[in-house]
Amino acid sequence: MERLAVYCGANAGQDPAYSEATILLGKTMVRRGVELVYGGGRLGLMGIIADTVLAEGGRVHGVIPEMLKDLEVAHTGVTKLHIVQNMHERKARMTDLTDAFIALPGGVGTMDELFEAWSWNALGYHNKPFAILNVGGYWDSLIAFLDTMSEQGFVSAERRKHLIVSDDIDDCLDRLAAACNTEAGSFTW
């Protein structure tokens, strides 16, 4: 795994554990030689992950729509800032640039990105693994709902297993890397 797309909030949230986990994820990524792909913002957890990776000597690829750049929320200190026309292009470019996806705490945008990565995978547009880093149980209710969707027959048990869930950064990154390193011919989502 050379690049990891990190989906996370443009706010830092109420619990300091979210920022702490974001910093630790950024440091761990650089230690492992993994570059960051993210939404290109300078605010909230997005800014924290970018600043951490940069401070640790890592490479950061931000992808931001023109509108958000014009609102001055773009992080201008990243290694490479890709400016796109809209949110659809943002998600497509991030998918092209990354080897895997991970969701930290965030809001509607984070959920949109995670679910689009999952649905594109299910439809065969990519074969890249995706995960939730469940910091402080933030995603517990969503995970329970996804289990309900599976139990009720709207998501197959096999498809539900594709979403990696962990509350441990090293475990999560190890599982994503293992999924990336499996030969495409023998590994199917």
Side-chain angles (χ1 to χ4, degrees):
M1 182 171 62
E2 295 177 14
R3 290 185 182 164
L4 177 64
V6 176
Y7 299 140
C8 58
N11 293 301
Q14 299 296 321
D15 189 338
Y18 306 146
S19 295
E20 293 165 8
T22 301
I23 291 167
L24 184 56
L25 175 61
K27 289 180 176 184
T28 304
M29 288 172 62
V30 173
R31 180 175 44 82
R32 290 175 174 232
V34 177
E35 296 180 3
L36 170 65
V37 176
Y38 87 118
R42 63 176 174 77
L43 304 174
L45 297 182
M46 291 175 68
I48 292 170
I49 190 77
D51 288 342
T52 301
V53 170
L54 291 167
E56 295 294 311
R59 295 181 51 81
V60 176
H61 306 268
V63 184
I64 195 161
E66 183 78 35
M67 179 191 75
L68 293 177
K69 179 189 147 292
D70 292 345
L71 291 173
E72 299 182 355
V73 298
H75 193 308
T76 57
V78 298
T79 309
K80 172 73 175 164
L81 185 63
H82 304 260
I83 300 169
V84 296
Q85 292 301 307
N86 54 53
M87 294 298 284
H88 297 293
E89 288 183 28
R90 177 197 227 178
K91 292 182 283 187
R93 179 76 57 88
M94 289 176 72
T95 299
D96 290 342
L97 290 171
T98 195
D99 299 312
F101 310 87
I102 190 169
L104 290 169
V108 173
T110 301
M111 287 179 43
D112 172 55
E113 292 167 328
L114 174 65
F115 282 111
E116 188 154 300
W118 193 354
S119 65
W120 286 10
N121 176 278
L123 294 170
Y125 291 121
H126 69 76
N127 193 29
K128 299 174 182 184
F130 43 93
I132 287 176
L133 185 62
N134 193 20
V135 179
Y138 179 80
W139 294 106
D140 285 351
S141 296
L142 177 65
I143 294 163
F145 180 66
L146 294 172
D147 291 339
T148 298
M149 290 171 70
S150 181
E151 292 161 6
Q152 295 301 313
F154 290 100
V155 176
S156 71
E158 186 65 24
R159 180 77 50 213
R160 171 59 188 89
K161 290 178 191 174
H162 295 165
L163 176 62
I164 296 167
V165 177
S166 182
D167 60 2
D168 180 83
I169 290 170
D170 284 313
D171 172 66
C172 200
L173 294 178
D174 288 346
R175 291 166 67 190
L176 284 169
C180 286
N181 290 331
T182 305
E183 289 184 38
S186 63
F187 181 75
T188 58
W189 281 103

